[in-house]
Amino acid sequence: MRIECVHGDITEQNVDAIVNAANSSLLGGGGVDGAVHRKGGDRILAECRRLRKNEYEHGLPTGQAVATTAGDLPARWVVHTVGPVHSESEDRTDLLRSCYHNCLAVADDLGAAFVAFPLISAGVYGWPVEDAIDQALQTINTTQTSVALCRLVLFTKETHRLAQDRLIRL
């Protein structure tokens, strides 16, 4: 699998599957989740409501992943995952890594060859950016998958620069 880091907007990625850093409700929110729902439109929300009603009555558990249509986004699917909130007193690294691993497993089930990830948990969930980059790249690099291209989409130029530096060292 090829891994690339790009500076940009996750909702503008022309790939098979866009990963949404969702909240457990699956019904939209702030950050990436809000942008995916706003730009993706009503079809994503309708599928998320069905998932909540039929499969995830109490919300999508942290670290798990589930797919919906991509609605109006330039992709076929959105793979929703709930990242962990960073904690100084509890190591939640395995949960963060499981987000990437489980999204790739869902992408495999869908037959997606090109997947775009945001930097999960590094926004309002408070995960330190450099460690979030390391966890993302290491997990993506070591996960067995049929995905041919994995794109890590970074919203700021500084985060993109940090990710590029780390990708070179893989």
Side-chain angles (χ1 to χ4, degrees):
M1 170 182 32
R2 194 171 98 229
I3 302 171
E4 64 184 20
C5 296
V6 299
H7 172 242
D9 181 339
I10 191 78
T11 65
E12 296 175 358
Q13 301 303 305
N14 189 2
V15 293
D16 296 323
I18 290 173
V19 172
N20 178 21
N23 65 53
S24 64
S25 78
L26 294 175
L27 303 178
V32 171
D33 195 24
V36 165
H37 278 272
R38 276 190 307 279
K39 289 187 178 182
D42 293 338
R43 289 182 289 164
I44 294 174
L45 183 58
E47 282 193 38
C48 285
R49 283 186 174 140
R50 277 193 295 279
L51 285 167
R52 280 299 305 272
K53 182 179 178 186
N54 299 324
E55 297 176 47
Y56 298 103
E57 182 179 321
H58 301 290
L60 183 66
T62 301
Q64 297 301 305
V66 65
T68 65
T69 181
D72 297 327
L73 296 171
R76 292 180 66 191
W77 302 285
V78 171
V79 179
H80 307 266
T81 191
V82 180
V85 174
H86 184 261
S87 171
E88 292 292 327
S89 62
E90 180 183 351
D91 184 4
R92 298 178 178 167
T93 303
D94 286 344
L95 286 170
L96 181 57
R97 286 176 162 255
S98 69
C99 291
Y100 292 96
H101 178 82
N102 289 329
C103 285
L104 289 169
V106 168
D108 282 343
D109 290 344
L110 295 168
F114 305 111
V115 178
F117 281 92
L119 192 57
I120 299 167
S121 288
V124 296
Y125 284 9
W127 206 279
V129 170
E130 290 186 25
D131 189 56
I133 292 168
D134 290 341
Q135 299 308 322
L137 292 174
Q138 289 170 16
T139 305
I140 291 167
N141 190 47
T142 59
T143 298
Q144 291 286 14
T145 181
S146 297
V147 171
L149 170 66
C150 212
R151 181 178 295 157
L152 189 59
V153 182
L154 296 311
F155 194 67
T156 70
K157 288 181 181 180
E158 177 61 18
T159 305
H160 174 250
R161 186 192 61 74
L162 290 168
Q164 273 301 124
D165 289 348
R166 284 174 158 64
L167 179 60
I168 291 168
R169 288 189 249 147
L170 268 186

